[in-house]
């Protein structure tokens, strides 16, 4: 719920900036100095079929939680089983204590 609210708020702000840019450009008004950097970026965006070509969907790679075994320390390699059943090598990250959990990106 919070993420959806933040997403809608950010998109609304971006839309407002595009509208301000369009009105100021059409009427020949000077650009608002506080938006100068944003206007520079807007000018560089290429639009293809109504969708800005610079927009790239953000995807989060799949990950899983791994528990650090007793006797294993930071920097050591472990072999763990991915959800697919494949065995993968992972390195225990900084700040992980034996028994603690850490996130691992699952390779494609």
């Amino acid at each position: 719920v919070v993420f959806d609210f933040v997403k809608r708020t950010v998109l609304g702000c971006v839309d407002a900036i595009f509208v301000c840019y369009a009105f100021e450009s059409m009427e020949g008004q000077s650009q608002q100095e506080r938006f100068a950097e944003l206007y520079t970026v807007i000018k560089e965006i290429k639009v293809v079929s109504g969708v800005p070509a610079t927009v790239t969907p953000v995807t989060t790679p799949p990950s899983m939680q791994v528990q650090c075994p007793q006797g294993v320390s930071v920097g050591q390699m472990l072999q763990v089983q991915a959800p697919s059943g494949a065995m993968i090598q992972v390195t225990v990250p900084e700040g992980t204590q034996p028994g603690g959990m850490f996130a691992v990106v699952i390779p494609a």
Side-chain angles (χ1 to χ4, degrees), residues 46-108:
K46 306 287 186 255
V47 177
V48 179
S49 301
V51 177
T54 57
V55 175
T56 305
V58 177
T59 57
T60 305
S63 64
M64 62 185 233
Q65 292 290 314
V66 174
Q67 185 172 22
C68 182
Q70 295 297 325
V72 176
S73 59
V74 170
Q76 284 188 285
M77 299 288 285
L78 297 176
Q79 193 168 28
V80 297
Q81 188 171 13
S84 67
M87 298 303 288
I88 59 173
Q89 293 268 58
V90 299
T91 303
V92 178
E94 195 71 37
T96 305
Q97 300 292 324
M101 302 295 285
F102 61 95
V104 173
V105 173
I106 301 170

Side-chain angles (χ1 to χ4, degrees), residues 29-59:
Q29 295 177 358
S30 61
Q31 297 176 346
Q32 294 183 35
E33 186 61 35
R34 64 187 174 149
F35 294 137
E37 189 175 334
L38 290 170
Y39 287 163
T40 301
V41 172
I42 290 170
K43 290 177 194 173
E44 295 172 3
I45 294 176
K46 306 287 186 255
V47 177
V48 179
S49 301
V51 177
T54 57
V55 175
T56 305
V58 177
T59 57

